[in-house]
């Protein structure tokens, strides 16, 4: 075997018996790690007695040497007899540099004492143990590994073999993922923004408390709902559905749009929505974050306004007189007067200033646009 003293067939056989090819197949659950890498005896049933003849294990020497699981063999004095490349990599070296040297040549006093105690436990018990242990990486950072340590017969001696999987990078990635989840949850729950995570088929997966409050629902009642039940029927829904399909099929990653939301009491409000897909690994987006960045006051449903009525409101908000509006829209003065009277009736406004104010608070006119324009206009300069 490359880089070390030869291991006889019996030693290689014992090593391969414990090789962690499928960790998920271990029947006995992992025990809690004790301080200092405390071990738990492997009390499971011994491996099957029927094994290939010893000479057959020589064919797997290369496999053990290059396997991603870190493996070693030490004698009772703590001297390395063999190690594979994965184990040597933990110390920033190669197997040849380990063989013939002792634990203390690579580990600090505290770690070396811990590992010697574990080796002695194996030699005393004569049975395998499996455990999690902490160690120090070559760069000084903390590492953590999980695996088996067990006795093997090497020629005429009983030695200690170990096989470990380094979990450091996995645990670090899991910690970073959890931190990102916690940050996202804090943003969702404490930003005050109504937001919800929607599945590709439009079902609410999770939502903020502000979103539940917006719809006059409890949070458990909001989660699981289909998003279309939260939208009021309006002519713009078909366009919203088309743009949603563009998100799911990844033709676009994010979009800004508006929609009329309807709460549990049947009251409506126009809202500005930011929709953003989550992740980019699959051909189709699985989830979309929907964030309400602005919304009008809640109001009872009113008849949909015509395009001409919305244009009249836009010009009125810009300060145009009735005559100016008539000229701009090529309408008669009487027609404009009729539309304004009808609008005051529809929106419950007695005067021109209150009519403009109602157009804004009801979400008919875009709140952050000048010149005034419809909240549903697709172009910033459109008055439609």
């Amino acid at each position: 075997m490359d880089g070390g003293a030869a291991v006889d067939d019996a030693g290689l056989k014992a090593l391969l018996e414990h090789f962690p090819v499928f960790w998920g197949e271990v029947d006995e659950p992992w025990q809690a790690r004790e301080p200092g890498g405390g071990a738990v005896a492997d009390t499971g049933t011994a491996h099957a007695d029927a094994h290939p003849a010893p000479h057959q294990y020589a064919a797997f020497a290369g496999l053990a040497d290059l396997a991603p699981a870190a493996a070693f063999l030490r004698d009772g004095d703590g001297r390395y007899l063999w190690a594979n490349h994965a184990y040597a990599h933990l110390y920033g070296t190669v197997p040849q540099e380990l063989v013939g040297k002792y634990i203390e040549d690579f580990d600090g006093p505290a770690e070396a004492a811990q590992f010697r105690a574990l080796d002695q436990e194996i030699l005393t018990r004569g049975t395998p143990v499996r455990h999690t242990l902490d160690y120090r990486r070559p760069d000084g950072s903390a590492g953590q590994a999980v695996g088996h340590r067990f006795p093997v017969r090497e020629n005429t001696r009983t030695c200690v073999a170990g096989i470990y999987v380094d979990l450091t990078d996995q645990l670090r990635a899991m910690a970073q993922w959890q931190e990102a989840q916690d940050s996202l949850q804090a943003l969702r729950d404490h930003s005050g923004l109504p937001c919800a995570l929607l599945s590709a088929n439009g079902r609410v997966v999770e939502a903020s408390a502000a979103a539940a409050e917006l719809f006059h629902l409890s949070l458990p009642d909001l989660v699981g709902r289909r998003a279309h039940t939260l939208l009021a029927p309006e002519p713009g829904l078909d366009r919203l559905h088309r743009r949603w399909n563009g998100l799911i099929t990844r033709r676009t990653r994010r979009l800004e749009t508006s929609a009329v939301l309807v709460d549990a009491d049947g009251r409506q409000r126009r809202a500005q929505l930011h929709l953003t897909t989550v992740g980019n690994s699959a051909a189709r987006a699985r989830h979309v974050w929907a964030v309400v960045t602005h919304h009008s006051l809640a109001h009872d449903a009113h008849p949909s306004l015509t395009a001409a009525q919305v244009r009249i409101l836009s010009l009125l908000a810009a300060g145009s007189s009735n005559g100016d509006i008539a000229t701009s829209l090529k309408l008669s003065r009487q027609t404009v007067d009729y539309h304004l009277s009808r609008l005051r009736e529809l929106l419950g406004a007695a005067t021109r200033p209150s009519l403009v104010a109602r157009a804004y608070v009801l979400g008919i006119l875009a709140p952050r646009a000048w010149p005034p324009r419809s909240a549903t206009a697709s172009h910033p300069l459109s008055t439609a």
Side-chain angles (χ1 to χ4, degrees):
M1 196 170 294
D2 284 344
V7 179
D8 67 12
D9 287 338
L12 183 60
K13 174 180 176 180
L15 192 66
L16 291 172
E17 281 179 351
H18 291 81
F19 215 75
V21 178
F22 297 102
W23 288 97
E25 292 183 357
V26 178
D27 294 330
E28 183 181 341
W30 288 96
Q31 303 298 316
R33 177 171 57 87
E34 300 174 2
V40 178
D42 188 350
T43 56
T45 305
H47 292 276
D49 293 333
H51 294 291
H55 70 275
Q56 292 179 298
Y57 282 90
F60 295 99
L63 172 65
D65 194 46
L66 299 176
F72 69 87
L73 183 66
R74 286 196 292 257
D75 64 18
D77 296 324
R79 183 170 61 93
Y80 284 100
L81 303 179
W82 172 84
N84 68 357
H85 286 277
Y87 187 85
H89 179 72
L90 296 177
Y91 292 96
T93 186
V94 293
Q96 295 93 324
E97 295 299 320
L98 284 167
V99 173
K101 297 179 181 176
Y102 292 86
I103 299 175
E104 289 78 7
D105 294 326
F106 300 94
D107 291 293
E111 288 83 3
Q114 172 192 350
F115 297 156
R116 279 189 174 276
L118 288 171
D119 285 0
Q120 190 58 46
E121 181 181 359
I122 298 301
L123 295 173
T124 301
R125 288 189 181 197
T127 57
V129 298
R130 51 187 180 183
H131 58 103
T132 302
L133 58 83
D134 298 320
Y135 71 97
R136 187 64 55 183
R137 288 180 144 191
D139 61 3
S141 63
Q144 193 171 109
V146 62
H148 284 75
R149 195 174 295 221
F150 47 93
V152 296
R153 291 293 297 176
E154 176 66 13
N155 296 322
T156 60
R157 301 174 292 180
T158 300
C159 301
V160 177
I163 301 176
Y164 291 90
V165 175
D166 187 5
L167 300 180
T168 309
D169 293 336
Q170 179 184 354
L171 293 174
R172 182 179 294 121
M174 290 175 62
Q176 292 172 345
W177 177 85
Q178 186 60 54
E179 183 178 351
Q181 287 290 103
D182 293 342
S183 297
L184 180 60
Q185 183 175 348
L187 180 65
R188 182 195 69 194
D189 294 340
H190 304 298
S191 67
L193 284 175
C195 57
L197 182 66
L198 308 177
S199 65
N201 64 0
R203 193 175 296 277
V204 179
V205 177
E206 59 182 85
S208 66
E213 183 179 352
L214 184 70
F215 290 105
H216 290 187
L217 292 167
S218 67
L219 196 54
D221 285 339
L222 178 57
V223 173
R225 280 185 178 249
R226 298 297 296 268
H228 72 84
T229 65
L230 305 171
L231 301 175
E234 61 160 345
L237 276 184
D238 287 342
R239 182 170 180 270
L240 179 59
H241 288 158
R242 289 194 298 272
R243 300 187 74 185
W244 172 267
N245 289 333
L247 280 173
I248 299 304
T249 56
R250 296 199 182 281
R251 291 196 297 270
T252 183
R253 179 177 174 83
R254 61 178 62 87
L255 65 87
E256 298 181 27
T257 187
S258 69
V260 177
L261 310 181
V262 57
D263 64 26
D265 302 323
R267 292 170 66 78
Q268 300 179 0
R269 65 183 84 213
R270 181 165 291 281
Q272 299 296 317
L273 302 174
H274 283 225
L275 304 177
T276 306
T277 57
V278 178
N280 53 18
S281 57
R284 289 175 59 85
R286 297 178 59 188
H287 295 96
V288 173
W289 270 108
V291 181
V292 177
T293 57
H294 181 273
H295 59 82
S296 68
L297 295 179
H299 58 84
D300 293 329
H302 55 68
S304 298
L305 304 185
T306 66
Q309 288 173 325
V310 175
R311 285 196 292 270
I312 289 172
L313 284 173
S314 299
L315 292 170
L316 182 64
S320 299
S321 66
N322 287 18
D324 294 335
I325 295 173
T327 301
S328 297
L329 300 182
K330 296 180 174 58
L331 298 173
S332 69
R333 174 65 180 268
Q334 291 77 10
T335 300
V336 172
D337 290 344
Y338 166 77
H339 278 306
L340 287 172
S341 175
R342 178 64 178 154
L343 284 168
R344 285 195 294 270
E345 179 183 345
L346 288 173
L347 303 185
T351 64
R352 292 165 66 92
S354 63
L355 183 58
V356 171
R358 290 287 287 172
Y360 277 108
V361 299
L362 296 179
I364 298 170
L365 297 181
R368 296 184 295 274
W370 190 267
R373 64 177 177 87
S374 165
T376 60
S378 57
H379 191 278
L381 298 181
S382 173
T383 59

